[in-house]
Structures are given as structure tokens and as C-alpha cells.
Amino acid sequence: MRPEEVVGALDIGGTHVAAGRVHVTSASVDASARVRLPLPRSGGAALLERILDAAAAVAAAETRRFGVAAPGPFDYAAGICMVSHKLPGLYGVNLRSELALRLGLAGAAVSFLNDAEAFLLGERWVGAARGHTRAIGITLGTGLGSAFLEEGRIVRAGPAVPADGALYKLAFRGAPVEETISRRALLAGYGADPDGGPDVEQIAERARVGERRARLVFEKLAADLAEFLVPSLEAFAPTCLVVGGSIARAWELLESVLRSGLASGPPLVVARAARIDDAPLLGAARHAAEGKI
């Protein structure tokens, strides 16, 4: 890694895209060079253009590398999006080529990493997982992201790790786990229209001011998450579980039930992300600074 580098970073989510300029030496995101933009629901060309705009907004002459955190499924080596449901219209798009062209970079200077892996690397670098040898990171949002880490490196295979470290591919109570643990599951539990009703943030506010129905949907999600995670925690035996993603912003509505549900499992630190906004950008930038594509 070249610690003097200033690295551009992009975090593509299901509803927003964030970008920042990361100073590797200080492990910080430049406050004057960061953006967060909503992604258009129409998808297609407008979605691609929004992502490119976010990256261009933080690029600078000294930005010679760019790291991108993106949800799976994704061909991270080639930079090709394989997501068909969360990012409509981007399926099959070569984001490496598009970003390199827009930013004036060589294709090899643009690297890609799973967003949950970037999140956990960022939290291991300067956040809640710092100092832990084995950790699991969970991102709760549009979907259920996950990453497994040992000795500072992401683990994607092995008897204690699901294929690609992707917990979202597993079933829970006989159905895909994201049908129970995700933004859409929380909205469905509340009875909200995902396209026009209150979203997670508004439901959380209602829970904070005492609305029982709102509080119960967060408690149910936390209980379900704990039940789902116990087998993986027992198998991988991490010393730290870090929870991030947009739903984790309502940590005070999740924490007690989640801790209670995990109490019967192996002892471990359970923490909300310390750098909930920055961790994916930091992890993607560090990954890029190490010269990985």
C-alpha cells in the first residue's frame, strides 16, 4: 500500500450512492469531498449516470485509484454488475469501463469489492472490529449483506463460512432469508407501501416516540436476525459481530433484543458500526490502495 495516496471511493447501495475522497494515511474521508445521492427508481441510464456523477464529484488530479463497494451478485474481478433486482437496468453493465472513461483512469486503477466486505474492512481498520482477529460484519438495508474476516483478510470459503461469505443466499424458515430480514421485510411487517409509504427512518421515528407497532417490527427483525446468525457464529467463532447498514441507524431499537437472542451462543462483542457512513468507503479505498482489482 502507498500510504500517501488519496483514493477515491464509491459505495453503491440499493437506494443511494455515496462517494468520498479517502486519505489513506489518516484513514479519513475528506469532509469537503464527499457526496450522497439518491438513486433514481427508474433505473437504466439515469441510474448509471447518477453513479458516475457521484464518482466524478469527488475525483481530483491526485486521485489515481478508485475503489468501489457494490452489492452482489457482481463480477468483481471484471467490474461487471450482475444485480438484476436492486439496481434495475445495470445488469451486465461494465462499471469498470464506464468509471475509467468518466474519471480518466486506466481500467486497472478501478477496483471492486463486495459492499459488506468493504464495510467490515473499514470497521476493522478504524472502527468497531479494530483489534479483533476474527469478525463477522452484517449490513442491514435493502438486503442482508455479510462478510467474514480472519487476520485482517476476508474469508469467502471454508467449512465455517457460507459460499462467498454470502449469508443472503441461505434459507431461513424455509424461505430466502431476505424475505424475513431486510428493508422490505420490515416495511411489510409494518404494513407500509415500499413505493410510497413511510420508510425505515420514519418508522424508526414513530417507534422512538412510543408507537408500539413500529417498535415491534424492529424487535422482530432483531430477534429473527439473532436466530438466523447463531449457527454461523457457532461455526466461525468470531470475537466480534459488527452491524451496519441503513437499518442499523435505529440501533437502540434493535440492540437489546439482538443481544438477548445471541446470549446463548459463544461470547463475543456485539456492536453497531463505529463508522456507519464511512466504513464502506474506507474499506473500498484501502482495498484499492493495496492495488487489488
Side-chain angles (χ1 to χ4, degrees):
M1 184 192 302
R2 294 190 289 267
E4 73 279 4
E5 277 198 290
V6 176
V7 180
L10 196 66
D11 176 25
I12 303 172
T15 59
H16 290 77
V17 58
R21 198 179 301 156
V22 176
H23 296 266
V24 178
T25 303
S26 60
S28 62
V29 182
D30 191 334
S32 66
R34 61 187 305 161
V35 298
R36 179 178 169 86
L37 303 174
L39 291 176
R41 293 183 179 180
S42 58
L47 178 57
L48 175 60
E49 191 62 25
R50 186 65 54 85
I51 291 170
L52 297 177
D53 285 346
V58 303
E62 70 269 28
T63 308
R64 303 298 176 85
R65 289 182 181 271
F66 221 95
V68 182
F74 200 102
D75 185 336
Y76 295 101
I80 298 175
C81 180
M82 305 302 291
V83 179
S84 59
H85 60 298
K86 297 176 188 175
L87 300 170
L90 281 192
Y91 182 84
V93 172
N94 189 318
L95 283 178
R96 170 171 287 129
S97 297
E98 296 285 351
L99 284 165
L101 181 63
R102 182 66 172 270
L103 301 173
L105 297 173
V110 183
S111 62
F112 291 82
L113 184 65
N114 175 269
D115 55 351
E117 294 179 353
F119 159 76
L120 185 54
L121 286 176
E123 285 292 318
R124 172 59 156 64
W125 190 12
V126 289
R130 187 172 187 176
H132 287 271
T133 300
R134 295 171 74 84
I136 293 178
I138 297 294
T139 55
L140 298 173
T142 305
L144 174 66
S146 61
F148 293 70
L149 182 145
E150 182 177 12
E151 300 288 355
R153 298 292 177 184
I154 295 296
V155 181
R156 302 185 182 97
V161 179
D164 300 320
L167 290 172
Y168 80 89
K169 296 180 180 179
L170 302 182
F172 181 55
R173 298 175 186 161
V177 65
E178 289 183 339
E179 290 186 10
T180 303
I181 305 169
S182 66
R183 168 184 172 268
R184 68 177 180 270
L186 190 147
L187 296 183
Y190 187 74
D193 181 350
D195 295 320
D199 211 328
V200 173
E201 184 178 353
Q202 290 73 45
I203 298 171
E205 284 303 315
R206 295 177 184 184
R208 293 181 181 110
V209 299
E211 185 183 298
R212 184 173 182 273
R213 181 163 63 108
R215 176 174 53 80
L216 288 177
V217 295
F218 281 95
E219 292 180 353
K220 181 180 185 305
L221 185 142
D224 290 340
L225 177 62
E227 181 183 340
F228 173 70
L229 286 179
V230 164
S232 292
L233 294 173
E234 291 178 342
F236 191 67
T239 56
C240 180
L241 170 69
V242 188
V243 184
S246 59
I247 297 177
R249 296 179 191 281
W251 181 243
E252 76 278 16
L253 302 174
L254 303 168
E255 181 180 10
S256 177
V257 173
L258 178 61
R259 289 185 183 279
S260 177
L262 297 176
S264 62
L268 80 164
V269 173
V270 180
R272 175 189 184 268
R275 306 290 292 271
I276 195 164
D277 291 316
D278 294 345
L281 297 175
L282 290 163
R286 184 169 179 126
H287 182 257
E290 289 176 341
K292 296 181 178 178
I293 61 171

